[in-house]
């Protein structure tokens, strides 16, 4: 069996520097790694991970190796792998199967290779790994103690599997921890999505009409940061509460059919399909820019764009121009895949410090509790809170503690108006 497959192993020296840089900004994960080094809680456990192969993921993998695990790794998106990081990981003994710019067949070939190492604990981002094990690699199921899931879309898919009675091992929904989605999905996606748009286009955001489709945790972050750069933010939603929240946060809310004619930039972050489609593209301004930050490349209907276009040109990396029959040009960033990973570097390390601290602690939890029921489980509260406590401490921020009088007061009902 091949030990790994990456684009170019000679990129490893640059990858090591990138990993070192990320690690410097991930104090919580480093504390966990130090403990893992001493305690070896993952001794001889095989971990199979399907994650964006970035410098932050490499720091997580280092923590697993320090804990005594063996690791196989594939990418969770055909465009998100950083080839230098992948190369560096091969020198750390990780079985990496990932490179940037994969075809769908290559992507799933890599998934299958990571499964070949017979993982006992899995990590997934979007549920492709878990669904492949359940559909095409069922012989791998017998080894698996449990797994984790990193993102909203993955948790939705796994809950659907559980509902259909198809889920065969326990999954901890890391995405749903407060210490994950309140920070990663909001501040991480907020900043890195704008980073991706700016690296791909270098346009000025101030004064632009910036349409955010979906006002969930990611959408809130994107809207907030776009507003901070001086853009006029318009939100489209299907959920009345979220739309109302957007309005009360100072944004305009309207259907995508109306926003289509107004927007200079469109960003989808819904986890849904065909949110921006033909009838909307037909009404867009010349020069409109389309980007997606939701997990899969289905939010902007790329087939519709291809059908409407008479010409397609790549203007610069991650920026494709589609000319429509009437001469208008629409621009698609990063092939409609996660723009923050395709055109930038994904979330900043400080945010991934928390998400991956959750991952590391949940993997340790699964190693200690190998017989959890085959359901989607929440992150244990003590893990969620410990990540926030460790992060505050790493930031040298102290907070108050409840006094005994306050604890008693908060737990009683007798005392009211005085
Ligand atoms: N880019 C990244 O790095 C990154 C990070 C975290 C999550 N994600 C992905 O981003 C997506 C959104 O995640 P989230 O945590 O914000 O989810 P969420 O559930 O909090 O929010 C999604 C929102 O989209 C709305 N929505 C659904 N269909 C819609 C439609 N047709 N039009 C307008 N709004 C619609 C929903 O009502 C909801 O408010 C998921 O696919 C998730 O996996 C990406």
């Amino acid at each position: 069996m091949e030990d790994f497959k990456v684009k170019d192993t000679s990129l490893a020296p640059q990858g090591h520097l990138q990993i070192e840089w990320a690690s410097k900004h991930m104090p919580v994960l480093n504390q966990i790694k130090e403990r893992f080094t001493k305690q070896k809680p993952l001794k001889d456990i095989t971990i199979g991970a399907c994650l964006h192969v970035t410098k932050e993921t490499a720091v997580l993998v280092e923590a697993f190796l320090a804990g005594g695990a063996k690791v196989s790794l594939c990418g969770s998106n055909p465009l998100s792998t950083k080839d230098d990081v992948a190369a560096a990981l091969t020198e750390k003994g990780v079985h990496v199967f990932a490179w940037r710019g994969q075809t769908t067949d290559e992507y799933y070939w890599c998934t299958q290779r990571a499964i070949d190492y017979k993982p006992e604990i899995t990590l997934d981002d979007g549920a492709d790994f878990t669904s492949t094990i359940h559909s095409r690699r069922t012989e791998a199921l017998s080894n698996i103690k449990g797994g984790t899931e990193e993102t909203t879309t993955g948790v939705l898919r796994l809950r659907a599997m559980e509902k259909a009675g198809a889920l065969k091992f326990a999954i901890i929904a890391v995405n749903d921890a407060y210490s994950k989605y309140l920070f990663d999905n909001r501040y991480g996606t907020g900043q890195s999505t704008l980073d991706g748009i700016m690296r791909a286009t270098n346009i000025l955001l101030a004064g632009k009409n910036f349409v955010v489709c979906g006002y969930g945790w990611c959408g809130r972050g994107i809207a907030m940061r776009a507003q901070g750069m001086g853009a006029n933010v318009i939100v489209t939603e299907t959920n009345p509460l979220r739309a109302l929240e957007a309005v009360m946060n100072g944004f305009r809310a309207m259907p995508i059919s109306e926003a289509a004619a107004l927007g200079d930039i469109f960003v989808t972050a819904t986890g849904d399909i065909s949110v921006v489609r033909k009838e909307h593209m037909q009404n867009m301004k010349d020069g409109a820019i389309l980007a997606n930050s939701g997990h899969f490349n289905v939010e902007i209907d790329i087939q519709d764009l291809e059908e409407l276009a008479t010409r397609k040109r790549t203007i610069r990396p991650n920026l494709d121009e589609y000319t429509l029959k009437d001469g208008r040009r629409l621009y698609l960033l990063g092939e409609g895949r996660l723009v923050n990973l395709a055109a930038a570097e994904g979330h900043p390390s400080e945010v991934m410090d928390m998400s991956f601290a959750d991952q590391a602690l949940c993997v340790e939890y699964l190693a200690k509790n190998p017989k959890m029921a085959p359901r989607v489980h929440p992150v244990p509260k003590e893990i969620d809170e410990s990540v926030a406590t460790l992060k505050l401490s790493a930031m040298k921020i102290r907070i108050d503690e409840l006094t005994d009088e306050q604890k008693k007061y908060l737990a009683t009902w007798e005392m009211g108006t005085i």
Side-chain angles (χ1 to χ4, degrees):
M1 189 158 50
E2 277 174 297
D3 274 336
F4 59 80
K5 188 165 168 60
V6 298
K7 185 159 277 169
D8 181 358
T9 48
S10 74
L11 299 172
Q14 184 56 34
H16 288 299
L17 290 173
Q18 297 276 19
I19 298 167
E20 200 183 306
W21 176 247
S23 182
K24 220 172 141 42
H25 298 91
M26 302 179 82
V28 178
L29 193 53
N30 273 315
Q31 274 188 48
I32 295 169
K33 182 181 158 191
E34 271 170 37
R35 181 171 64 75
F36 278 10
T37 305
K38 288 186 203 126
Q39 298 176 350
K40 302 281 177 217
L42 306 175
K43 193 167 182 309
D44 297 332
I45 288 183
T46 306
I47 292 177
C50 174
L51 297 170
H52 301 298
V53 182
T54 62
K55 57 192 187 305
E56 292 76 18
T57 298
V59 182
L60 173 64
V61 168
E62 283 180 338
F64 292 146
L65 297 174
K70 288 172 271 176
V71 182
S72 65
L73 174 67
C74 58
S76 56
N77 184 291
L79 267 193
S80 67
T81 295
K82 306 301 169 195
D83 290 317
D84 51 0
V85 172
L89 280 171
T90 66
E91 294 189 349
K92 292 176 190 283
V94 181
H95 304 297
V96 192
F97 296 89
W99 58 93
R100 182 189 156 93
Q102 296 174 326
T103 62
T104 305
D105 283 349
E106 287 169 341
Y107 172 78
Y108 281 106
W109 181 85
C110 289
T111 314
Q112 299 263 9
R113 294 297 70 75
I115 298 169
D116 287 345
Y117 289 86
K118 303 188 171 65
E120 295 162 83
I121 296 178
T122 63
L123 287 92
D124 211 347
D125 185 336
D128 282 344
F129 201 60
T130 316
S131 70
T132 302
I133 291 170
H134 280 76
S135 53
R136 280 177 276 165
R137 296 297 298 273
T138 48
E139 87 290 350
L141 284 167
S142 58
N143 280 317
I144 299 179
K145 301 181 203 301
T148 65
E149 172 52 54
E150 169 76 6
T151 198
T152 318
T153 285
V155 172
L156 277 177
R157 293 178 76 194
L158 293 163
R159 289 228 165 87
M161 279 177 82
E162 180 186 340
K163 202 168 164 202
L167 188 63
K168 302 287 184 225
F169 57 85
I171 296 285
I172 301 184
V174 166
N175 179 73
D176 294 359
Y178 290 115
S179 53
K180 198 279 183 181
Y181 71 82
L182 286 179
F183 305 92
D184 173 311
N185 299 30
R186 187 164 39 167
Y187 304 113
T189 314
Q191 178 168 321
S192 61
T193 298
L194 293 207
D195 186 13
I197 294 170
M198 292 193 293
R199 289 197 207 193
T201 64
N202 195 32
I203 54 153
L204 182 73
L205 295 177
K208 295 284 192 320
N209 285 339
F210 193 107
V211 180
V212 180
C213 302
Y215 198 65
W217 291 105
C218 295
R220 287 175 176 108
I222 298 166
M224 174 169 57
R225 292 300 180 239
Q227 186 183 45
M229 295 290 283
N232 302 308
V233 175
I234 297 171
V235 167
T236 76
E237 250 298 341
T238 50
N239 177 322
L241 289 167
R242 297 263 166 109
L244 200 54
E245 185 188 342
V247 170
M248 298 228 180
N249 277 332
F251 305 122
R252 279 184 290 169
M254 61 182 77
I256 181 67
S257 53
E258 279 174 40
L262 302 177
D264 299 302
I265 302 158
F266 295 81
V267 183
T268 50
T270 67
D272 200 355
I273 193 165
S274 301
V275 178
V276 174
R277 48 186 189 270
K278 196 176 266 177
E279 70 246 42
H280 311 130
M281 295 167 188
Q282 278 165 331
N283 285 330
M284 285 179 185
K285 294 186 205 174
D286 179 31
I289 291 168
L290 312 181
N292 168 52
S293 217
H295 188 77
F296 286 121
N297 60 337
V298 296
E299 303 209 13
I300 299 167
D301 196 321
I302 297 164
Q303 205 183 324
D304 279 0
L305 192 54
E306 301 271 354
E307 281 169 21
L308 285 174
T310 53
R311 183 170 81 147
K312 178 181 170 187
R313 292 191 298 166
T314 297
I315 303 294
R316 42 189 260 152
N318 299 306
L319 177 59
D320 289 336
E321 177 190 75
Y322 290 81
T323 305
L324 310 193
K325 289 188 187 72
D326 61 5
R328 273 177 306 133
R329 285 147 303 173
L330 302 183
Y331 295 90
L332 180 68
L333 307 191
E335 300 173 17
R337 301 191 189 277
L338 294 157
V339 70
N340 58 334
L341 281 142
E345 294 174 62
H347 297 353
S349 311
E350 291 90 335
V351 162
M352 295 317 293
D353 188 26
M354 297 177 69
S355 307
F356 283 170
D358 274 312
Q359 287 283 9
L361 296 175
C362 287
V363 165
E364 182 186 29
Y365 187 87
L366 285 165
K368 282 189 189 148
N369 298 279
K371 297 215 163 79
M372 288 168 69
R375 284 194 288 110
V376 177
H377 299 261
V379 170
K381 193 163 173 263
E382 56 283 8
I383 290 184
D384 203 354
E385 285 179 0
S386 77
V387 170
T389 304
L390 289 171
K391 189 71 177 177
L392 280 172
S393 140
M395 294 167 86
K396 304 207 181 337
I397 294 169
R398 296 190 312 119
I399 58 169
D400 288 318
E401 265 181 52
L402 292 173
T403 62
D404 288 342
E405 183 197 11
Q406 289 167 341
K407 280 186 199 154
K408 193 169 160 214
Y409 175 76
L410 292 171
T412 51
W413 59 272
E414 291 89 350
M415 199 164 150
T417 310
I418 15 181

